């Protein structure tokens, strides 16, 4: 293969990869503001489920209906949704931009928007104003950084933040609040239109593929949660909480591999079912779909079936189901929605299973002849289908396509299983399994690798899990799912990077352990 023949397809591939990484980073930023505050959503959902007028045990003073001593009850449901949740999101968003100082100014600006848009939940406003206020105070601080006379630092810093907060609160109250309110009402009207015209299942055409490309947290917590919370306040439940969180499509995929898959994929699928369906870590089934892209049809049809079922039964949840475990889903189900929600999970799993089984049976002989149906071999084919060279890490560790050159091998493998000088120059003491949110798949992968390291008797090496956004450059070796490796390299280009396909039983784990033994 000549250099020119390799370079030609790489340009659009890199462009697509760059766009994908950019979308993932933006989505991660949005979900990063919401996910640390999911406990508030859950607590609010429990309060709503029990104490509103149509709840399990209606209590006016808590649910916010009726009167006490002639005064209308405010309750907890409305204030938590109106004030606590947006402010918590704004504080987190501000902290992500400029730590505590950014959180303070961002929350002041958000308060102006909350009050100015009275009657409309300002989660959207919080996700914009929190980071925006933090960014502005960060830029202002740069103006006189290092120029303040000793003894006046606190005076200047406090008044700068206070005055800017005042200005931003006024801007939020008078100008931004009407705009955000209009946008929120428009989004709500669009959702209502889709529901009323039975078009909501079409959302699965976008949501299900986006999930598999690790945008699940961005979609669920960055977009759907805020719209769903508004619906809960209005009607006591929301179907939107189930558009992404339904574990049915993933269950169907894994069941299909359990019965009709081949090789590693078949042997690991039963264990993956427990982690995905009961544990709620949906990322576990993404590599199974990625290895055979035709299965996108299965998850789309399965997801659409689940949505259609919930539309037909008018069912929904009272709070986000996070993680997307069947236990979390049932725990957040509205009192009148158990039949619809349970059927939506079962029907979506059945459709996904049937469609995926059809494709697996149809290609079974070819998969058996092509490397025994090994997940890694199929994964390489998927990479070629996407117009990209097979990832060198997958190639080297699984013995398939060899890297085009030594430089490519070193960059992709980070020395694991290769003869890279860089790999042996730095002692590996800090191993990090990183994923989009720093929970779920990364926690599981880190646990698997940590046990292997412990059994090997290796000491002086820590194995932890982190969100990719929280990588700080101190990591010696970073393990990620292949779709997320590019982002991890941007955060810490000096670390060794290893890409894995199957979180549960990746051969790369053993290669990492061997490297740690030999250093």
């Amino acid at each position: 293969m000549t250099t020119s023949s390799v370079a030609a397809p790489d340009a659009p591939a890199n462009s697509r990869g760059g766009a994908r990484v950019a979308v993932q980073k933006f989505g991660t930023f949005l979900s990063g503001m919401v996910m640390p505050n999911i406990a508030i959503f859950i607590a609010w959902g429990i309060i709503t489920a029990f104490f509103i007028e149509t709840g399990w045990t209606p209590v006016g003073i808590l649910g916010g209906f009726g009167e006490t001593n002639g005064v209308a009850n405010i309750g907890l449901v409305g204030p938590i949704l109106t004030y606590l949740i947006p402010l918590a999101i704004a504080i987190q968003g501000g902290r992500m931009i400029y730590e505590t100082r950014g959180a303070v100014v961002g929350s002041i600006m958000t308060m102006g928007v909350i009050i100015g848009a009275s009657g409309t939940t300002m989660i959207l406003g919080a996700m914009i104003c929190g980071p925006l206020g933090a960014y502005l105070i960060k830029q202002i601080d740069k103006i006189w950084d290092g120029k303040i006379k000793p003894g006046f630092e606190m005076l200047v810093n406090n008044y700068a933040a206070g005055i800017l907060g005042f200005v931003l609160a006024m801007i939020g109250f008078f100008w931004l609040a009407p705009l955000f309110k209009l946008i929120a009402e428009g989004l709500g009207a669009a959702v209502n239109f889709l529901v009323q015209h039975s078009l909501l299942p079409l959302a699965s055409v976008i949501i299900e593929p986006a999930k598999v490309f690790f945008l699940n947290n961005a979609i669920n917590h960055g977009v759907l949660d805020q719209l769903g919370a508004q619906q809960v306040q209005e009607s006591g439940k929301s179907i939107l909480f189930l558009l992404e969180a339904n574990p049915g499509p993933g269950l169907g995929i894994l069941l299909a591999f359990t019965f009709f898959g081949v090789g590693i994929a078949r042997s690991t699928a039963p264990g993956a079912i427990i982690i995905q369906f009961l544990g709620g870590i949906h990322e576990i089934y993404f590599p199974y779909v990625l290895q055979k892209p035709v299965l996108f049809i299965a998850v789309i049809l399965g997801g659409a079936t689940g949505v259609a079922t919930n539309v037909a039964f008018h069912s929904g949840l009272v709070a986000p189901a996070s993680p997307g475990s069947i236990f979390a889903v049932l725990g957040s189900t509205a009192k009148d929605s158990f039949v619809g929600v349970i059927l939506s999970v079962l029907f979506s799993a059945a459709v996904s299973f049937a469609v995926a089984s059809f494709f697996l049976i149809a290609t079974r002989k070819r998969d058996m002849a092509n490397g025994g149906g090994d997940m890694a071999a199929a994964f390489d084919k998927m990479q070629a289908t996407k117009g990209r060279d097979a990832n060198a890490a997958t190639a080297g560790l699984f013995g398939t396509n060899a890297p085009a050159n030594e430089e490519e091998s070193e960059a992709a493998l980070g020395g694991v299983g290769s003869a890279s000088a860089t790999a042996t120059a730095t002692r590996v003491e800090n191993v990090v399994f990183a994923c989009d949110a720093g929970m779920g798949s990364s926690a599981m992968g880190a646990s698997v690798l940590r046990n292997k390291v412990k059994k090997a008797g290796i000491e002086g090496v820590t194995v932890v899990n982190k969100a990719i956004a929280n990588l700080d450059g101190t990591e010696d070796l970073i393990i990620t799912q292949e779709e997320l490796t590019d982002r991890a390299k941007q955060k810490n280009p000096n670390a060794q990077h290893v890409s894995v396909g199957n979180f549960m039983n990746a051969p790369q784990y053993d290669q990492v352990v061997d490297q740690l033994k030999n250093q």
Side-chain angles (χ1 to χ4, degrees), residues 12-28 209-215 218 290 296 379 382-383 386 388-389 391 436 468 480-490 499:
N14 291 338
S15 176
R16 284 193 298 271
R20 170 177 52 81
V21 170
V23 172
Q24 286 180 340
K25 288 175 68 175
F26 178 70
T28 299
K211 281 176 60 178
V212 175
F213 285 108
F214 291 85
L215 291 171
L290 288 171
F296 277 114
F379 193 79
M382 181 276 294
Q383 292 288 65
K386 290 167 60 180
R388 299 170 57 189
D389 286 340
N391 184 279
D436 184 59
I468 291 178
T480 51
Q481 203 282 335
E482 193 275 343
E483 286 292 324
L484 303 176
T485 302
D486 289 343
R487 286 173 55 201
K489 287 181 178 178
Q490 289 182 0
S499 301

Side-chain angles (χ1 to χ4, degrees), residues 104-459:
V104 170
V105 175
S107 64
I108 298 173
M109 185 179 186
T110 301
M111 195 64 187
V113 171
I114 291 173
I115 303 302
S118 179
T120 302
T121 303
M122 272 293 103
I123 294 178
L124 172 64
M127 296 178 78
I128 295 175
C129 292
L132 178 59
Y135 174 79
L136 293 175
I137 187 61
K138 184 176 183 179
Q139 300 309 309
I140 287 178
D141 282 353
K142 289 180 180 179
I143 296 175
W144 46 69
D145 185 28
K147 300 177 183 177
I148 305 174
K149 293 185 180 296
F152 289 87
E153 293 90 351
M154 183 178 292
L155 180 66
V156 173
N157 288 336
N158 284 342
Y159 269 87
I163 293 172
L164 179 63
F166 163 74
V167 173
L168 294 179
M170 295 300 101
I171 293 174
F173 185 92
F174 289 106
W175 286 287
L176 294 181
L179 175 61
F180 292 150
K181 187 172 183 178
L182 184 64
I183 293 174
E185 291 174 351
L187 292 173
V191 171
N192 290 332
F193 175 84
L194 293 176
V195 172
Q196 292 171 5
H197 292 80
S198 301
L199 297 175
L200 196 59
L202 294 178
S204 296
V205 175
I206 298 175
I207 291 175
E208 294 300 333
K211 281 176 60 178
V212 175
F213 285 108
F214 291 85
L215 291 171
N216 51 319
N217 291 319
I219 293 171
N220 203 24
H221 304 309
V223 179
L224 298 177
D225 281 358
Q226 57 182 322
L227 298 176
Q230 184 68 39
Q231 285 191 345
V232 170
Q233 191 177 36
E234 296 170 355
S235 60
K237 60 185 176 183
S238 175
I239 189 177
L240 301 181
F241 290 138
L242 268 173
L243 294 188
E244 185 275 339
N246 186 349
L251 174 62
I253 292 291
L254 295 173
L255 283 172
F257 273 97
T258 298
F259 291 103
F260 305 110
V262 293
I264 294 176
R266 181 175 185 176
S267 65
T268 56
I273 289 175
I274 297 174
I275 295 171
Q276 187 266 347
F277 191 66
L278 303 181
I281 303 176
H282 289 201
E283 290 90 343
I284 193 73
Y285 80 85
F286 297 170
Y288 293 82
V289 178
L290 288 171
Q291 71 159 292
K292 193 178 286 291
V294 72
L295 297 183
F296 277 114
I297 298 174
V299 292
I300 290 173
L301 293 178
T305 301
V307 176
T309 303
N310 283 314
V311 171
F313 282 85
H314 303 286
S315 51
L317 306 185
V318 298
S322 183
S325 160
I326 186 61
F327 300 122
V329 169
L330 294 178
S332 299
T333 299
K335 182 175 68 172
D336 60 351
S337 298
F338 279 93
V339 173
V341 168
I342 292 173
L343 289 179
S344 74
V345 175
L346 295 177
F347 289 168
S348 62
V351 170
S352 179
F353 170 75
V355 176
S357 297
F358 170 80
F359 289 120
L360 290 177
I361 293 172
T363 60
R364 184 177 177 85
K365 289 184 179 179
R366 185 177 64 191
D367 290 341
M368 290 290 291
N370 235 343
D374 188 274
M375 180 175 277
F379 193 79
D380 283 343
K381 291 182 180 180
M382 181 276 294
Q383 292 288 65
T385 302
K386 290 167 60 180
R388 299 170 57 189
D389 286 340
N391 184 279
T394 306
L397 291 172
F398 288 93
T400 55
N401 300 331
N405 51 55
E406 183 178 350
E407 181 180 357
E408 179 184 343
S409 175
E410 179 176 338
L413 278 169
V416 179
S418 73
S420 166
T422 304
T424 56
T426 303
R427 178 178 175 83
V428 175
E429 296 180 346
N430 184 12
V431 179
V432 175
F433 202 120
C435 72
D436 184 59
M439 296 177 260
S441 59
S442 64
M444 179 182 62
S447 178
V448 172
L449 182 59
R450 193 181 298 116
N451 288 336
K452 287 180 176 289
V453 170
K454 184 177 180 180
K455 288 180 180 179
I458 299 171
E459 298 181 354

Side-chain angles (χ1 to χ4, degrees), residues 20-90:
R20 170 177 52 81
V21 170
V23 172
Q24 286 180 340
K25 288 175 68 175
F26 178 70
T28 299
F29 183 79
L30 294 180
S31 63
M33 287 185 274
V34 179
M35 290 198 68
N37 297 302
I38 284 295
I40 302 177
F41 279 92
I42 294 174
W44 170 74
I46 296 172
I47 293 170
T48 302
F50 276 96
F51 302 132
I52 62 173
E53 198 165 5
T54 57
W56 290 96
T57 56
V59 178
I61 197 171
L62 297 175
F65 63 92
E67 297 181 349
T68 300
N69 298 325
V71 179
N73 291 319
I74 297 176
L76 289 174
V77 176
I80 290 177
L81 183 60
T82 302
Y83 302 107
L84 179 58
I85 291 178
L87 285 174
I89 290 173

